[in-house]
Amino acid sequence: MALCRSTWLSTLFNKAPTIAASAFSRCNFAALIAFSCLYIMKSTEELSGIAQQVRRDIVRMVHAVNSGHPGGSLGCTDYFVALYFHILNHRPDGFDMNGHGEDLFFLSNGHISPVWYSVLARSGYFPVSELATFRKLDTRLQGHPTTHEGLPGIRVASGSLGQGLSVALGAAQAKKLNGDPSIVYTLHGDGEIQEGQIWEAAMYAAHHKIDNIISTIDVNGQQIDGPTEKVMSLGNLRAKWEAFGWTVCEMEGNDMAEVLKGLTHAKSLTGQGKPIMILMTTSMGKGVDFMEGTPKWHGVAPNDAELANALGQLTETLGDY
Amino acid sequence: MLNFEITGSNDTRSGFGAGLLEAGKRNPNVVALCADLIGSLKMDAFLKEFPERFFQVGIAEANMMGVAAGLTIGGKIPFTGTFANFSTGRVYDQIRQSIAYSGKNVKICASHAGLTLGEDGATHQILEDVGMMSMLPGMTVINPCDYNQTKAATLAIADFEGPVYLRFGRPKVPIFVPADEPFVIGKAWHMHHGKDVTIIATGHLVWKAVEAAQQLEAEGISVDLINIHTIKPLDVDAIVKSAAQTGAVVTAEEHQLIGGLGSMVAQALAVHQPTPLQMVGVNDSFGESGTPEQLMKKYGLESQDVYAAAKRVIAMKK
Ligand SMILES: [Mg+2]
């Protein structure tokens, strides 16, 4: 496993930043993007392998502190891996808050921090060993993502639901003002869009023609108190977002090939005067059979036996932290 | 001689508008957002000069705070504009999470604060905003007193890195702060030196305090007059030094007594220099409709009230 990581991952992350930095120093956004895309291309099989490891990280992290949110994290793992290891043009080494010339990602449903932390570490933002500090005193890996402790890769605190879309829209507008053609990505829970601020932001994005944003809703049909249909039915999500002036796509979120296809397609729709929304169908708890499809594992950690069971279903592809 | 020349009369929000335009000229990263109150906030001039750096957000203040936080990611310096009520209470969690806790360089600019909003009544007269904003770790809270000081404060916060709450008001009030008076965030303006009583005032109450001090001085009572424009971080040093010298302190503000300037001065004095204290402010009450003048009188925020508080506190030290 260690060999695997030291070959392609170190090739990727030791060389990329230097060249990226020189591209950026000339403020040549186009050159930087062209370069990064070439470098980060990875096969679907490789990405699925990374996803296996990320799922192991998630269950191990929440087990270690007997708290955290494994369900949504597991469901969104394929999306995160596709984004950070294939889609995003970003600089994991030498994190810069302003992210000039980089694509940005905002996690609005901050409670699925385990999957984000794992993917950030595995893609080189901070040492993988730091995942062992998740939710522990003095950690940079707070229960919900924050900028307060200076964890590389995080640009705003999230977890109080409904706020991430507004922040991402501001960041997208700053990119336009700066002449930066990069794209801003966001992820939201389906329960989260019950928050009114989401719809304020939805209206704002269309009005201001913010077409450098690709938002995704994790449509797993679950929230803490049960199925969204029972708690507060979301109605016709496609019709709602289209009525708000967004271009709406749909995507199967637990099939790596489909995720890659969906994100690539969404990218091709940017720059056309409309914000883009992907409705991503996932299964909460995906990859661990006893956690799948139920809100029971929204915010509950596995015990020792359950952890062993879960790890038995997930291949250690990159080496556990 | 306790004498300040009145050079005119204008609303503090116009000082903000002028400062914002000037800040925009000085720094291309200054941007502005407004929630359907461009005219009330005097943001027209900035909009006209820099339309591409101005963002109308409609009646959606929560979104405005989030968008402002996002604009800082990319190096912008956003100034948000709406009434003080909708700048704070309505969006407290957005400010707490996306701005304060995230350490974002957003300038929350809030007009029509306090009773002097007038006839619209208590729904719009926020008297708790200073308390709410001051409780947020890392938040700077500024309440300037006239047109010149508001303009100077607006320019100062544009150059300052970190979240700021800037509170100003609706009515025309005397302009008495010299246009060249330096504005230093966190530093009290020591307006007059005296030895019998300290009067500490902020916002619209500063001019009332000047009038009260003139009356006291005419009676032979020597007044140490301090303008606290930056309520957080509080210039504890200036307050404690003055209190040690006079042995009696009065605070005056257009805000609830709980959580405002008076509370913070009381806390500083209790810890560092226990001193008899009287506070002028709104005493655990909502406002109501009326003219600004009527309301200031009814709720005890006139120069006579500051004067009376000074007399009370002087009696306390004997
Ligand atoms: Mg859900």
Side-chain angles (χ1 to χ4, degrees):
Chain A
M1 297 311 151
L3 179 67
C4 169
R5 188 169 40 176
S6 68
T7 52
W8 56 264
L9 272 185
S10 70
T11 311
L12 177 56
F13 297 115
N14 292 341
K15 288 183 185 168
T18 330
I19 310 173
S22 72
F24 179 64
S25 67
R26 298 193 306 272
C27 286
N28 188 339
F29 293 128
L32 175 59
I33 290 162
F35 152 76
S36 305
C37 291
L38 271 178
Y39 232 94
I40 295 176
M41 283 297 177
K42 220 176 294 312
S43 74
T44 309
E45 291 68 36
E46 279 176 299
L47 294 169
S48 296
I50 298 171
Q52 291 276 318
Q53 184 64 57
V54 169
R55 287 190 162 97
R56 286 182 70 89
D57 291 349
I58 293 166
V59 290
R60 293 183 69 237
M61 286 163 74
V62 297
H63 168 266
V65 285
N66 193 29
S67 75
H69 298 77
S73 292
L74 291 167
C76 291
T77 297
D78 303 300
Y79 167 85
F80 270 89
V81 170
L83 197 66
Y84 273 82
F85 290 89
H86 188 88
I87 298 289
L88 283 187
N89 157 48
H90 62 135
R91 291 191 297 274
D93 195 0
F95 171 71
D96 163 43
M97 177 57 78
N98 284 334
H100 292 303
E102 287 182 84
D103 293 335
L104 306 181
F105 171 73
F106 291 92
L107 177 66
S108 193
N109 50 330
H111 59 274
I112 66 166
S113 56
V115 61
W116 198 13
Y117 291 152
S118 167
V119 166
L120 285 173
R122 296 282 173 189
S123 62
Y125 280 86
F126 54 84
V128 172
S129 59
E130 202 169 338
L131 295 176
T133 71
F134 174 62
R135 282 181 174 244
K136 292 178 179 165
L137 191 65
D138 296 327
T139 185
R140 299 197 292 178
L141 280 61
Q142 292 288 301
H144 291 79
T146 74
T147 58
H148 196 255
E149 284 72 24
L151 187 68
I154 314 283
R155 290 190 166 87
V156 74
S158 65
S160 179
L161 295 174
Q163 300 188 22
L165 185 54
S166 303
V167 177
L169 290 170
Q173 289 187 297
K175 288 209 173 288
K176 282 179 177 280
L177 286 173
N178 291 336
D180 176 352
S182 309
I183 296 170
V184 176
Y185 294 82
T186 68
L187 180 64
H188 309 267
D190 51 1
E192 181 189 7
I193 65 169
Q194 291 158 2
E195 290 282 4
Q197 189 182 343
I198 288 285
W199 301 99
E200 293 185 4
M203 198 181 291
Y204 180 85
H207 178 83
H208 286 282
K209 301 184 167 49
I210 303 175
D211 57 5
N212 55 343
I213 188 161
I214 299 174
S215 292
T216 298
I217 296 173
D218 172 23
V219 186
N220 59 19
Q222 306 288 345
Q223 58 191 112
I224 297 180
D225 277 355
T228 51
E229 209 47 50
K230 272 195 175 168
V231 177
M232 181 52 61
S233 119
L234 303 172
N236 186 334
L237 278 180
R238 171 181 274 277
K240 281 191 166 81
W241 285 92
E242 282 178 347
F244 273 77
W246 289 55
T247 298
V248 180
C249 312
E250 289 174 36
M251 179 170 96
E252 165 50 49
N254 290 135
D255 177 322
M256 189 58 78
E258 288 299 311
V259 174
L260 290 172
K261 212 170 87 184
L263 286 171
T264 307
H265 175 62
K267 218 168 160 176
S268 75
L269 298 171
T270 57
Q272 296 178 18
K274 287 172 78 175
I276 295 143
M277 175 56 74
I278 301 173
L279 302 176
M280 174 174 76
T281 312
T282 71
S283 184
M284 207 176 198
K286 183 72 186 180
V288 177
D289 57 9
F290 62 90
M291 290 187 177
E292 231 181 289
T294 161
K296 191 192 153 213
W297 293 92
H298 168 90
V300 174
N303 63 27
D304 294 348
E306 288 160 341
L307 175 69
N309 183 352
L311 292 178
Q313 303 174 37
L314 300 164
T315 315
E316 186 182 349
T317 54
L318 301 179
D320 286 337
Y321 64 83
Chain B
M1 185 61 197
L2 205 161
N3 197 13
F4 293 91
E5 190 194 350
I6 296 180
T7 56
S9 168
N10 207 344
D11 39 26
T12 49
R13 55 189 166 135
S14 288
F16 163 70
L20 180 64
L21 177 64
E22 182 62 31
K25 287 176 180 168
R26 291 185 191 179
N27 188 339
N29 280 324
V30 167
V31 299
L33 304 91
C34 187
D36 197 31
L37 286 168
I38 294 169
S40 296
L41 269 285
K42 306 291 181 188
M43 296 171 98
D44 329 54
F46 183 94
L47 168 59
K48 191 159 173 262
E49 187 80 17
F50 307 110
E52 74 291 351
R53 283 154 56 189
F54 181 88
F55 302 99
Q56 172 64 267
V57 298
I59 309 165
E61 295 81 9
N63 184 51
M64 177 165 72
M65 293 304 165
V67 171
L71 280 160
T72 67
I73 302 165
K76 302 302 160 198
I77 305 169
F79 284 67
T80 66
T82 183
F83 289 171
N85 195 10
F86 312 132
S87 294
T88 56
R90 190 174 180 98
V91 290
Y92 194 73
D93 190 52
Q94 283 76 17
I95 293 174
R96 182 176 186 275
Q97 313 279 350
S98 294
I99 297 175
Y101 184 41
S102 297
K104 297 303 181 204
N105 192 23
V106 175
K107 315 304 171 186
I108 301 160
C109 301
S111 184
H112 292 57
L115 292 172
T116 51
L117 168 138
E119 294 82 349
D120 278 353
T123 53
H124 288 51
Q125 293 162 345
I126 198 155
L127 293 161
E128 311 92 65
D129 52 329
V130 167
M132 278 189 284
M133 292 297 110
S134 296
M135 278 195 292
L136 291 170
M139 181 67 76
T140 294
V141 178
I142 299 175
N143 187 190
C145 62
D146 78 347
Y147 174 95
N148 285 345
Q149 193 177 66
T150 309
K151 184 179 176 187
T154 306
L155 286 166
I157 66 174
D159 291 335
F160 173 84
E161 175 74 30
V164 175
Y165 178 63
L166 181 67
R167 176 197 213 236
F168 41 91
R170 174 183 177 232
K172 287 188 169 25
V173 292
I175 301 173
F176 59 96
V177 179
D180 59 353
E181 180 69 32
F183 187 93
V184 183
I185 295 170
K187 191 100 183 90
W189 177 32
H190 209 143
M191 301 171 69
H192 186 258
H193 293 266
K195 58 179 175 35
D196 297 329
V197 63
T198 300
I199 301 181
I200 300 170
T202 193
H204 289 149
L205 265 292
V206 177
W207 183 248
K208 311 280 185 198
V210 169
E211 291 178 327
Q214 285 168 340
Q215 199 179 340
L216 291 162
E217 291 262 331
E219 290 177 19
I221 297 167
S222 167
V223 179
D224 207 48
L225 184 59
I226 294 175
N227 166 221
I228 290 288
H229 47 66
T230 308
I231 296 173
K232 188 187 171 192
L234 189 67
D235 191 346
V236 173
D237 197 47
I239 292 165
V240 166
K241 269 188 189 145
S242 176
Q245 201 182 322
T246 63
V249 175
V250 171
T251 61
E253 64 193 306
E254 188 183 351
H255 189 271
Q256 296 292 347
L257 291 176
I258 297 173
L261 173 70
S263 283
M264 284 178 240
V265 168
Q267 184 173 325
L269 291 177
V271 172
H272 300 284
Q273 179 74 33
T275 308
L277 174 70
Q278 288 290 302
M279 300 188 285
V280 174
V282 176
N283 188 13
D284 198 24
S285 158
F286 289 103
E288 63 183 287
S289 290
T291 66
E293 299 74 25
Q294 290 169 333
L295 292 164
M296 294 296 267
K297 191 155 189 260
K298 176 164 178 178
Y299 288 84
L301 305 183
E302 278 302 331
S303 50
Q304 276 314 307
D305 301 299
V306 180
Y307 169 86
K311 291 305 257 289
R312 285 200 305 275
V313 81
I314 288 167
M316 282 168 75
K317 69 175 173 174
K318 279 163 190 167

